Amino acid sequence: MNDPTHRDTFLQGRTALVTGSTSGIGLAIATALAAAGSKVAINGLGTPEQVASAIATVDAAGNGGTRHFGADLRDADAIAAMMADLAAWSNGGIDILVNNAGIQHAVPLHEMPVSRWNDIIAVNLSSAFHTMRAAMPAMAARGYGRVVNIASVHGLVASKDKAPYVASKFGIVGLSKVAALEYAAQGSRDSGGITVNCVCPGWVETPLIEPQIEARMAGGSRDDGVRALLAEKQPSLRMSLPAEIAALAVFLCRREAHNITGASLPVDGGWTAQ
């Protein structure tokens, strides 16, 4: 029988950076990577108490040693400094890079403030370019590396009132394909190779969408609100949990996933199958 207390720590000795990981999907991914044995660097916004709570959560899942890097992902110089610090912290460079940080602002195109466009493109797209550019040469030198970019169904299809968000997510899908091609032949089956993939979630159960659920409850239950919200897009009528997105990200880090690269994997309950 399998021991339910046994952890598959196949990432023992690896180091990871997860951006946007002080809450939500990013925190779930950081926690799952730690549980698989990796040392994890988190990055993201929050009060000192929120950051300390995130570190404690990740530490509790793994072997400890979690560190928070507070770089502003709109600032290329701040990202460069963070990646240099990470190279020293991880003895030459991280093995796993998860670009999860993302921001949103939903208004029609002609009403979109230029400053919001600039910030969304910087955080959702340009920051991934900067982290990948810094991290991937060391991955190639070791013969193992994983880049998992958390895109969105909006990297595959569009919705109204989300011009910069959709543009950024389509952009990260394209960026990932190029990087996957450039690094595809590095490493080997035994070493694990270098892969670059996008995970494209649909509706995910995070606190950010609670107001949208409540707006559709119409006097009914929360489940009624969820079904009404998802009926507009997601045929399964079920949201994903952050831990389910994290499980896919962790699977992509396995050696057996060495030939899964350049993919954009929807986790969307059939949204993009329509």
Side-chain angles (χ1 to χ4, degrees):
M1 295 178 64
N2 290 328
D3 179 357
T5 64
H6 173 72
R7 289 194 295 135
D8 181 2
T9 54
F10 73 97
L11 291 177
Q12 191 71 40
R14 304 291 190 189
T15 56
L17 167 66
V18 185
T19 68
S21 52
T22 49
S23 64
I25 294 171
L27 180 56
I29 293 172
T31 302
L33 289 170
S38 181
K39 186 167 73 167
V40 181
I42 63 172
N43 157 270
L45 304 174
T47 64
E49 294 77 16
Q50 289 169 324
V51 170
S53 175
I55 290 172
T57 297
V58 179
D59 275 348
N63 302 318
T66 306
R67 183 176 162 190
H68 175 258
F69 290 79
D72 182 342
L73 297 185
R74 298 171 298 180
D75 182 343
D77 291 338
I79 296 171
M82 174 177 71
M83 298 308 290
D85 285 348
L86 274 165
W89 178 75
S90 59
N91 297 316
I94 55 173
D95 303 286
I96 299 158
L97 169 62
V98 182
N99 286 302
N100 169 77
I103 57 175
Q104 168 69 290
H105 186 64
V107 296
L109 179 65
H110 66 279
E111 297 177 13
M112 186 66 66
V114 171
S115 61
R116 288 297 184 108
W117 169 274
N118 289 339
D119 285 351
I120 291 169
I121 296 298
V123 172
N124 296 12
L125 176 57
S126 297
S127 71
F129 162 77
H130 294 304
T131 57
M132 291 165 66
R133 180 175 176 272
M136 294 190 74
M139 294 178 182
R142 285 193 297 271
Y144 174 88
R146 294 292 185 266
V147 179
V148 182
N149 290 325
I150 307 303
S152 167
V153 291
H154 286 116
L156 304 171
V157 294
S159 293
K160 294 187 297 183
D161 300 337
K162 297 181 179 179
Y165 187 80
V166 171
S168 70
K169 296 302 186 179
F170 268 72
I172 204 165
V173 167
L175 171 65
S176 300
K177 289 178 183 291
V178 172
L181 293 173
E182 290 181 358
Y183 284 85
Q186 300 288 338
S188 66
R189 183 190 296 119
D190 290 337
S191 71
I194 319 298
T195 71
V196 185
N197 293 289
C198 286
V199 176
C200 300
W203 290 108
V204 179
E205 193 151 342
T206 65
L208 293 177
I209 65 168
E210 286 301 317
Q212 297 178 66
I213 294 171
E214 292 169 8
R216 289 164 174 81
M217 285 168 56
S221 68
R222 184 178 181 279
D223 284 347
D224 293 332
V226 169
R227 291 175 71 86
L229 177 63
L230 270 60
E232 299 169 12
K233 300 281 190 182
Q234 191 152 311
S236 69
L237 303 181
R238 299 187 305 272
M239 284 190 284
S240 298
L241 296 173
E244 294 164 354
I245 306 302
L248 176 55
V250 170
F251 171 76
L252 291 171
C253 295
R254 298 193 73 92
R255 185 194 59 78
E256 297 92 328
H258 67 95
N259 259 339
I260 304 174
T261 194
S264 301
L265 303 168
V267 187
D268 65 1
W271 182 335
T272 54
Q274 300 176 100

